[in-house]
Structure formats: structure tokens, C-alpha cells
Amino acid sequence: FSPDSSVVSFCENNGVVEILDLRTDRSIQMDTKQGQWKMVFSPNGELLAAGSYGAPVMIWATATGSVVKTLDGGREGGLTPVFSPDGKILAVGNRNSTTRLFDVESGKLLHELPENQTHGLSFDPTGERLAVAYVDGRLGLWNVADGRLLQMKQTNARELYRVHWTPAGDVLVSSGVKDNIIFWNPVDLSVLHEITAPEWVIEAEFSPDGTRFVNSGGSNDQSQGDRRVEIWGVRVRDWVLGRAGL
């Protein structure tokens, strides 16, 4: 969904990306010839970025469907694009390679973060730090301005899938395969709280107001039918005081 929820974008494995205006039912279709790994709107809703497997990252104008930029995501791998809060930078993770940061207006490569196999990416609310989840279970924090590594933590996860910040930027959460959902202090990546998680957690994030936390997943074996969504109430202040916050 676009930031104001008036426009939605979706894609099936046939490679056709559709932008649908829910107010007018106007639809724009772009044939990329490639199923899209992840799609994301810019903060102002004017751009849509999509990353695929074995194809460059494409940025479209949502009003017209015209291609604004085509960016090189590196070697073949599943790509994960994420806009900075001000929409000026696009970070692109690569399942088989490094994370790249681009200037959206010019398309210039700003930084290539020297660690391979990235999954989820998340800018903090200020846009100054980028959290990165790695395939080998590591969690990294990077300085956006100069591409410098700030913190790196090895978790017990077989793989990390997602990272997400509270709206205030005072807590970072990670989730993945065969580990707890962990809430971190982003200052030093110390653990604030943990939730016993199902085997496989594919999504985990805070609500826009920070009062709820949602995660989804279950057993990695689809035949078991153990898939669910959980919604938690959040009290971040309690974590700071050393008490349970969920």
C-alpha cells in the first residue's frame, strides 16, 4: 500500500506489476518479464521500487507507470529495496550479495556495504542508521552517511528474515528461522526482550503508532497447517526499566 493507503501495488509470478488507485479503480500495468521479489512505495507515494531475482531494481512513477530509474542490484539474487524516511536514498539488499545504497534522484551508487547475503533492511526513523538482517543470522547496524559499520551481532537464528524499528527509533526487532523474536537496544545491540517464536517467522513489525507488534509465521512444513498471525500490546518503557513489555 502507498503511505496514504489510496494506492496498492501487486505482482504475481508472471512478471506484470500492477498499480491500482483504490479511489478511481484506475489500473496501470507494467510488464517486467520477471516475477518481483519485493515492492515498496516511496514515503510520498510518488514512486514505486521493485526488486526481482536476476534483474535490476526498477523505480516507476506511480501516476504514469513510466520507468524513472533502473539500478544495478549486483550479482543474481533476490533483491529487497527500501526507501529512507525522506525518500532520498534507496537501500537494496541482495540475497546472494552485498547491500547497496543509491541516491534516488540521480541513481548514483552512494555506498556498497561490505557484507554479503542480506535479507530484510530497515532505516531508523531519522534515516541515519540502516539495520540489516543477514542470511547467516547476523544483525548489522550501518551509518548511512558514510557506509560505516556501527554494530554487528551474531544471533542464534539459522537465518534472519526481518528487522524493524519502533516509530521512536528506540527499539529494533529481529526475526527469522529457529530463534526467538528479539527486541534490541540499538545503541549497543543489547537484548531488551525476547518472545518465544514459532519455527519460521516471515514478518515482524510495529504498528505506525508503536503500541502494537505483529508477527506472522509458524511451521516451515506447510502440511502441518501451523501458520498464524500474532498481535501484541507494547510497553517499551517497561523494557527500559527491565520489566516485561508485551
Side-chain angles (χ1 to χ4, degrees), residues 14-190:
N14 58 13
V16 176
V17 174
E18 183 168 351
I19 299 174
L20 176 63
D21 191 319
L22 300 176
R23 299 161 298 190
T24 65
D25 284 336
R26 179 173 179 261
S27 172
I28 302 173
Q29 294 187 348
M30 299 87 74
D31 190 357
T32 68
K33 313 296 184 185
Q34 187 86 19
Q36 299 303 305
W37 180 266
K38 182 178 176 63
M39 294 178 290
V40 61
F41 284 95
S42 62
N44 62 11
E46 295 178 359
L47 301 174
L48 177 73
S52 185
Y53 191 97
V57 175
M58 301 185 71
I59 302 178
W60 295 281
T62 56
T64 63
S66 59
V67 176
V68 176
K69 289 286 185 303
T70 301
L71 306 174
D72 182 8
R75 61 178 291 190
E76 184 174 286
L79 302 182
T80 306
V82 177
F83 283 99
S84 61
D86 62 6
K88 294 181 179 180
I89 296 175
L90 185 74
V92 180
N94 188 318
R95 178 67 172 74
N96 293 329
S97 188
T98 57
T99 300
R100 297 183 173 192
L101 275 63
F102 295 91
D103 178 83
V104 172
E105 184 176 1
S106 66
K108 177 185 176 182
L109 177 64
L110 300 174
H111 304 295
E112 185 171 1
L113 308 182
E115 296 289 341
N116 284 322
Q117 295 191 297
T118 58
H119 262 320
L121 309 174
S122 185
F123 285 94
D124 78 359
T126 68
E128 296 176 356
R129 295 169 294 178
L130 179 71
V132 181
Y134 291 94
V135 173
D136 63 3
R138 289 176 302 155
L139 171 64
L141 274 183
W142 299 83
N143 185 59
V144 173
D146 58 11
R148 176 171 48 92
L149 178 64
L150 300 174
Q151 301 279 343
M152 184 72 77
K153 181 74 72 170
Q154 179 69 56
T155 72
N156 294 321
R158 191 178 72 189
E159 290 188 36
L160 276 189
Y161 280 157
R162 294 289 183 265
V163 284
H164 197 255
W165 299 81
T166 54
D170 52 356
V171 175
L172 181 66
V173 64
S174 67
S175 62
V177 181
K178 293 190 174 180
D179 195 15
N180 290 339
I181 296 171
I182 302 177
F183 300 86
W184 306 88
N185 182 341
V187 174
D188 56 5
L189 288 187
S190 58

